[in-house]
Amino acid sequence: MARPEGSIFKLCFLCSLIANLFFGVNLYLGRRGVGVEVEQRRGERPRPELERRAAAEAESAAARECSGHGRAFLDGAVADGRPACECNTCYGGPDCSLFLPSCSANADGGDPLFLEPFWKQHAESSAVVVAGWHRMSYSFSDQTTLSQELESLLRKLHSQVGNAITDDKYILFGAGSTQLLNAAVHALSHLNSSFPASAVASIPYYALYQMQTEFFDSADCSFQGDPARWKNATNTTGDIIEFVTAPNNPNGQLNEAILHGPNVKTIHDRAYYWPHFTGIPSPADEDLTIFTISKLTGHAGSRFGWAFIRNEEVYQRMNMYLQLNMMGVSRDTQLRAMKLLKVIIEDGGREIFEFGYKTMTKRWDRLRKTLSMSNRFSLQKVPPENCTYFQKVREPTPAYAWVKCEREEDKNCIEILNAAKILGRGGSIFHDDDRYARLSLIRSDDDFDMLISRLESLVSKEDGAKIM
């Protein structure tokens, strides 16, 4: 008779083998199933299929042609299971193919959509895939809220373009130039005086300077209009903060400071100081200079701006304002700005600035030709500038047309334009005469084409108008 101990031993061995095989297989499969999670915890690169899935979603939106008169976005409305078309002004329908002939030409806002074709040509190199765990902390690893790589790219870009000296200056990021402007007003108020400061700007000026100062209604600063009234004043008690915009919004002039002296502080708004809008005669080297990505790359919706500050105390005061206000610019925004700047810097900005300059030159040529037939309307005259970037003397191509109604009876130019189905902004918005109106030239091709069409129709109805 066989010994029972041997059978028991064989049975235990077989059970052990099966158990080890079972747990081994499960351990192997389990590791594969949680592989992405482990990689995410360790900060390692995600699996390629995740990138492909994110890219496929973006490409699904980009693939919608929208008849060339609109675009689809991942964060937009969904129709039939895919992103719906968002149509340009004067177009409608599911695919934006329906032209709306009775609509008004939109030359009102400052959306820099004229650069959209450039970025469509560089869709791949400018795309960003953001992981779900990207920058979840309040700060970077160095405990700041500014990307050092983005700062480095900005300083490099200004050096390439030659429009600003950034050496020995502090830098701050803000939610567009809008936030930085108010941070600067806060920092410069009460800097050297116990009396409230007065903010001023040369007419015509960007309306936001006055609107923002008055809206926040600080006891430290009030808006006092044109600096000309302060030029020869001898009894001022507080500091004067002058906004200097170059090129100017709305008329494109390269403004310079009017006021000087120990109690004068200057905020230089250089939003439009790029080669697609103006010649760059020399690099700006000022105590406080503000730029914005909206008029550089066209990405107004990203809300990103930066300021260069020479004085440490002013820098600290601005930084405190920004930290208490929003704890730094969104890390996602900084990532996108960094990606866009890398595309520009790759060739020293040559491609984007040549694209922008050529586009704006063509638009100004068409506008001048149209209004040259008119005895009723005139355009601002901005002198040519030597451009160190393009290495030539060039005509300016401002973002806006500053139109004047020349007839004595035309006391409100924007009303005349509105009646002709042209939307713009009246001169009084910029604290100037309502004989002037601002028309935006930086919107989409559809917007600009409609603007020219409406202007041609308006001019053709003039008595004594020239024939094209």
Side-chain angles (χ1 to χ4, degrees):
M1 183 174 179
R3 296 180 63 183
E5 291 86 350
S7 299
I8 293 172
F9 174 79
K10 291 178 181 178
L11 179 63
C12 291
F13 177 77
L14 180 62
C15 290
S16 174
L17 183 64
I18 293 171
N20 278 284
L21 180 63
F22 174 79
F23 287 115
V25 169
N26 273 275
L27 180 63
Y28 172 72
L29 293 176
R31 285 187 179 277
R32 291 193 65 188
V34 300
V36 171
E37 180 182 349
V38 171
E39 287 173 348
Q40 292 177 3
R41 286 201 304 266
R42 293 177 180 175
E44 297 173 1
R45 182 176 176 81
R47 293 184 183 275
E49 55 264 28
L50 298 183
E51 292 184 354
R52 285 196 292 269
R53 190 183 310 159
E57 291 179 352
E59 288 171 0
S60 173
R64 297 217 63 179
E65 294 292 337
C66 300
S67 302
H69 301 296
R71 62 202 66 78
F73 300 103
L74 279 176
D75 60 352
V78 176
D80 299 325
R82 60 176 183 168
C85 287
E86 297 181 15
C87 303
N88 293 342
T89 308
C90 298
Y91 287 88
D95 63 351
C96 303
S97 60
L98 179 63
F99 177 62
L100 309 174
S102 63
C103 81
S104 295
N106 187 350
D108 183 11
D111 282 343
L113 298 174
F114 78 108
L115 289 171
E116 187 178 67
F118 173 85
W119 292 109
K120 285 187 175 182
Q121 295 168 13
H122 295 79
E124 184 177 354
S125 60
S126 62
V128 180
V129 177
V130 182
W133 65 93
H134 173 75
R135 294 290 181 195
M136 294 175 66
S137 174
Y138 282 112
S139 60
F140 291 97
S141 58
D142 61 359
Q143 302 306 307
T144 71
T145 57
L146 276 73
S147 163
Q148 292 184 2
E149 176 65 12
L150 180 54
E151 174 185 346
S152 176
L153 290 172
L154 286 168
R155 293 183 187 274
K156 183 176 181 179
L157 176 64
H158 284 292
S159 177
Q160 289 179 338
V161 177
N163 65 340
I165 294 175
T166 66
D167 296 340
D168 301 320
K169 291 176 184 174
Y170 301 96
I171 189 171
L172 286 173
F173 299 164
S177 60
T178 303
Q179 186 186 39
L180 290 166
L181 288 167
N182 200 59
V185 170
H186 165 79
L188 296 174
S189 300
H190 276 336
L191 189 60
N192 296 316
S193 172
S194 57
F195 296 96
S198 299
V200 297
S202 294
I203 297 172
Y205 55 76
Y206 181 36
L208 184 73
Y209 302 149
Q210 180 173 353
M211 293 170 62
Q212 195 166 240
T213 305
E214 292 178 346
F215 178 81
F216 288 108
D217 194 24
S218 171
D220 297 333
C221 184
S222 62
F223 196 84
Q224 297 294 328
D226 198 322
R229 63 188 288 250
W230 299 86
K231 194 168 185 179
N232 298 315
T234 57
N235 60 345
T236 57
T237 53
D239 287 337
I240 300 175
I241 302 170
E242 183 180 1
F243 292 100
V244 179
T245 318
N248 191 35
N249 176 3
N251 61 9
Q253 301 289 343
L254 283 175
N255 286 354
E256 296 181 356
I258 300 295
L259 303 177
H260 304 278
N263 67 326
V264 176
K265 316 300 175 189
T266 309
I267 300 171
H268 292 269
D269 185 347
R270 294 280 186 174
Y272 299 89
Y273 198 52
W274 298 102
H276 35 244
F277 296 126
T278 181
I280 308 295
S282 61
D285 187 17
E286 299 141 350
D287 289 343
L288 201 165
T289 310
I290 295 175
F291 291 90
T292 173
I293 204 169
S294 65
K295 302 308 184 290
L296 164 60
T297 69
H299 293 82
S302 293
R303 307 310 304 136
F304 179 71
W306 61 99
F308 292 110
I309 307 107
R310 197 190 307 272
N311 181 278
E312 183 178 4
E313 183 180 357
V314 175
Y315 160 76
Q316 294 292 356
R317 287 169 64 89
M318 285 184 68
N319 188 42
M320 179 61 70
Y321 175 96
L322 295 168
Q323 290 302 319
L324 293 175
N325 186 269
M326 60 179 280
M327 297 181 69
V329 171
S330 161
R331 311 303 173 264
D332 297 349
T333 292
Q334 294 188 51
L335 175 64
R336 190 184 194 194
M338 184 176 71
K339 188 70 171 180
L340 297 171
L341 289 178
K342 285 182 177 179
V343 175
I344 296 175
I345 286 173
E346 188 174 358
D347 67 347
R350 187 63 53 177
E351 192 173 354
I352 190 172
F353 293 132
E354 286 184 352
F355 176 91
Y357 177 45
K358 288 178 180 177
T359 301
M360 292 303 296
T361 297
K362 290 177 182 177
R363 292 188 177 191
W364 269 99
D365 287 346
R366 290 181 64 187
L367 180 63
R368 289 190 181 102
K369 181 180 179 181
T370 300
L371 294 189
S372 68
M373 303 294 108
S374 173
N375 298 314
R376 189 178 189 182
F377 304 102
S378 64
L379 291 167
Q380 79 265 40
K381 291 179 172 56
V382 183
E385 288 284 351
N386 177 53
C387 184
T388 57
Y389 182 79
F390 284 128
Q391 296 293 307
K392 65 178 182 180
V393 175
R394 50 155 284 187
E395 293 288 336
T397 48
Y400 309 105
W402 190 232
V403 178
K404 183 180 181 182
C405 286
E406 297 287 356
R407 289 180 181 175
E408 181 63 30
E409 63 270 24
D410 291 346
K411 299 185 183 302
N412 194 316
C413 200
I414 196 62
E415 287 185 355
I416 293 165
L417 293 172
N418 287 167
K421 295 191 173 183
I422 299 171
L423 304 179
R425 296 187 183 180
S428 59
I429 290 179
F430 306 91
H431 211 71
D432 208 338
D433 197 301
D434 268 328
R435 289 187 179 278
Y436 292 94
R438 192 196 79 171
L439 300 179
S440 175
L441 306 183
I442 57 176
R443 294 180 59 83
S444 71
D445 288 339
D446 283 341
D447 286 319
F448 183 75
D449 289 342
M450 181 57 73
L451 171 62
I452 293 298
S453 176
R454 294 296 188 211
L455 285 173
E456 287 176 347
S457 177
L458 179 59
V459 169
S460 68
K461 296 173 183 177
E462 292 181 25
D463 292 331
K466 303 170 189 176
I467 301 174
M468 288 188 179

